[in-house]
Amino acid sequence: RFTNRMYTVGQNSNYWAGDLGVTGNLTMQAARIYPTTATDFTITTPGKVTTLPGASDSTPVYSAGGSLTISAAGGINHQGTLEAPQGSITLDGGATGQVFLAEGSKIITAGAVPVAYGIYDGSTWMSQEVLNADGSYTNVGSTVTSAPTNSVTLNGKEVIVNNGAAINVSGGGSIYSALFQSGLAGTLNPLTITSPAPRYVILPDNSVTLPGNAVYLDAAPAYGLKAGVYSLLPAAQFAFVPGALVIQDTGTQLAAGQKALSSQGYQVVAGYKTVTDTSISSQTYEGFTIRSATDVLKEGDFTVKSFTSGNGGNLTLTATSAVMNGTLNAQPLQGYQGGVLTLSAKNITAQNVPAELPDGFAFGQFLSSNNDLDGKLIVDTASVSNGGFGEVALGSKVYDSSSNTYTY
């Protein structure tokens, strides 16, 4: 996961940034590589960048509106999975580099789940906020007036989207922000209560696993909870996720496998505190109350603002020579608009069969060495057909990555 942070320039100027500069080659291996919510992260190197697949993970990524840019003058060899749900991904090989999407690689900017996004203060919804020392928040981002636009941009002297590579810019997911207001339902925010202990959220499908504090819990079949280790997630951020559970340490010891009821009648199961992916854990079993987040939210009056990312996204490819043989998906949700495919090169050929690459063609081999491929952008129409694009733009333009401009 890549995340940015806020920097202060002078007394009144704040900006968010996340950068990784490398002087040589960079290899990254993970199940998914992605920016966190609203993060703008850039990786830059004069060398090459390689992404490799990790263990398979089909759980959703709870991130939205993030941006990941990889700029590598030595080229980009993408073999793994890059994701920026409801966000954007740019792979830039510059004027001389190659962008190669290998068979089995994935680039995904489609969302799949509702994601907490920014903060709503009753009048304005801002995309980013800063937690102050007194526990309050200060809005410092941009005003949220719609769902983020998702997009993928591929730039380089050569771009190869190989057979079996997949790019998904389809519509899906949503963003939301919730404001608690004291009222008849409750005078205290039920998600920030700290007595007798703080409340946390766990997800029964374990779809979010974060470094840091976690808990082992015995099974609670009534809540669809299997025995296992679960990350302790911030209640304010994850309580609105469908199926979320709220747990709270009762402060009392409980034997392994023992179950009880709290004084309020809530189920209590045995568990112990631990740290994700480490051998660090408490030697003492304690009792933890378990409740559905839906039930807990009834203890407060919440105003929820949300937007659905229903439109298909934008896919832009700019190169001197390119092959588009992979699978593209820009399907919108029902009632929304399809995506936009922009292919930019001097010579574009659309054909009903994949471009024939030399046997064993791999990253580091160049289209320019083949007269049938040099100086052309060849598109397999099967990659585009039924992909959900509402618009396909074909043209000739040169992309300048240093100034982020096009010359026609």
Side-chain angles (χ1 to χ4, degrees):
R1 297 188 307 148
F2 291 107
T3 190
N4 59 4
R5 57 165 292 178
M6 190 190 74
Y7 295 88
T8 300
V9 179
Q11 294 183 341
N12 300 311
S13 178
N14 299 316
Y15 72 99
W16 293 80
D19 297 280
L20 173 62
V22 182
T23 58
N25 298 330
L26 173 65
T27 298
M28 300 181 289
Q29 183 172 21
R32 287 93 59 97
I33 299 168
Y34 65 94
T36 56
T37 294
T39 284
D40 184 0
F41 201 94
T42 300
I43 299 171
T44 306
T45 176
K48 69 178 180 180
V49 171
T50 302
T51 66
L52 299 174
S56 178
D57 190 342
S58 60
T59 58
V61 174
Y62 284 85
S63 172
S67 171
L68 176 62
T69 298
I70 300 177
S71 180
I76 300 170
N77 181 10
H78 175 49
Q79 301 179 42
T81 298
L82 297 175
E83 294 198 36
Q86 306 178 64
S88 64
I89 294 174
T90 297
L91 302 185
D92 185 4
T96 59
Q98 181 186 75
V99 176
F100 186 87
L101 275 56
E103 179 181 2
S105 67
K106 298 177 182 179
I107 299 179
I108 302 170
T109 57
V113 291
V115 177
Y117 191 81
I119 185 169
Y120 175 64
D121 63 8
S123 60
T124 306
W125 183 1
M126 302 294 287
S127 61
Q128 291 173 310
E129 73 282 347
V130 174
L131 177 62
N132 300 315
D134 61 0
S136 64
Y137 287 90
T138 300
N139 291 338
V140 295
S142 58
T143 303
V144 179
T145 58
S146 64
T149 299
N150 83 78
S151 66
V152 170
T153 302
L154 307 175
N155 302 309
K157 181 178 181 181
E158 294 191 358
V159 175
I160 297 96
V161 182
N162 219 333
N163 291 314
I167 301 175
N168 185 352
V169 293
S170 61
S174 62
I175 57 171
Y176 70 88
S177 185
L179 171 68
F180 169 78
Q181 293 176 298
S182 179
L184 294 177
T187 57
L188 297 177
N189 187 337
L191 303 179
T192 59
I193 287 176
T194 57
S195 178
R199 289 177 172 177
Y200 293 98
V201 161
I202 61 171
L203 301 181
D205 62 0
N206 234 343
S207 55
V208 177
T209 301
L210 301 179
N213 293 332
V215 63
Y216 169 86
L217 294 174
D218 285 342
Y223 291 96
L225 187 70
K226 297 179 180 179
V229 175
Y230 297 89
S231 287
L232 294 177
L233 306 175
Q237 185 175 352
F238 288 94
F240 294 86
V241 173
L245 300 177
V246 175
I247 68 167
Q248 191 172 22
D249 188 349
T250 64
T252 58
Q253 293 188 15
L254 209 63
Q258 184 180 356
K259 290 182 171 58
L261 291 178
S262 70
S263 58
Q264 294 84 16
Y266 305 130
Q267 183 172 347
V268 179
V269 299
Y272 56 83
K273 298 171 184 176
T274 184
V275 178
T276 303
D277 293 332
T278 73
S279 59
I280 302 172
S281 63
S282 171
Q283 302 301 309
T284 303
Y285 274 82
E286 300 177 80
F288 293 85
T289 59
I290 297 182
R291 301 171 61 191
S292 72
T294 301
D295 180 49
V296 173
L297 289 172
K298 293 177 182 178
E299 297 176 357
D301 183 10
F302 290 90
T303 300
V304 180
K305 298 288 186 179
S306 66
F307 290 111
T308 298
S309 296
N311 292 333
N314 303 324
L315 171 58
T316 301
L317 187 157
T318 303
T320 301
S321 304
V323 167
M324 177 67 80
N325 284 347
T327 302
L328 311 180
N329 183 1
Q331 293 284 354
L333 298 181
Q334 186 173 1
Y336 289 83
Q337 297 180 342
V340 177
L341 172 63
T342 302
L343 302 174
S344 300
K346 291 184 177 180
N347 299 293
I348 299 176
T349 300
Q351 57 189 44
N352 60 2
V353 293
E356 187 174 347
L357 296 171
D359 291 341
F361 189 87
F363 175 78
Q365 297 176 281
F366 291 93
L367 302 175
S368 57
S369 63
N370 187 309
N371 290 334
D372 293 330
L373 302 173
D374 184 29
K376 301 175 182 177
L377 194 166
I378 302 175
V379 182
D380 179 9
T381 55
S383 296
V384 181
S385 299
N386 302 316
F389 290 101
E391 178 182 341
V392 177
L394 306 178
S396 174
K397 56 184 179 179
V398 177
Y399 175 73
D400 183 352
S401 60
S402 63
S403 61
N404 195 31
T405 59
Y406 291 97
T407 302
Y408 292 82

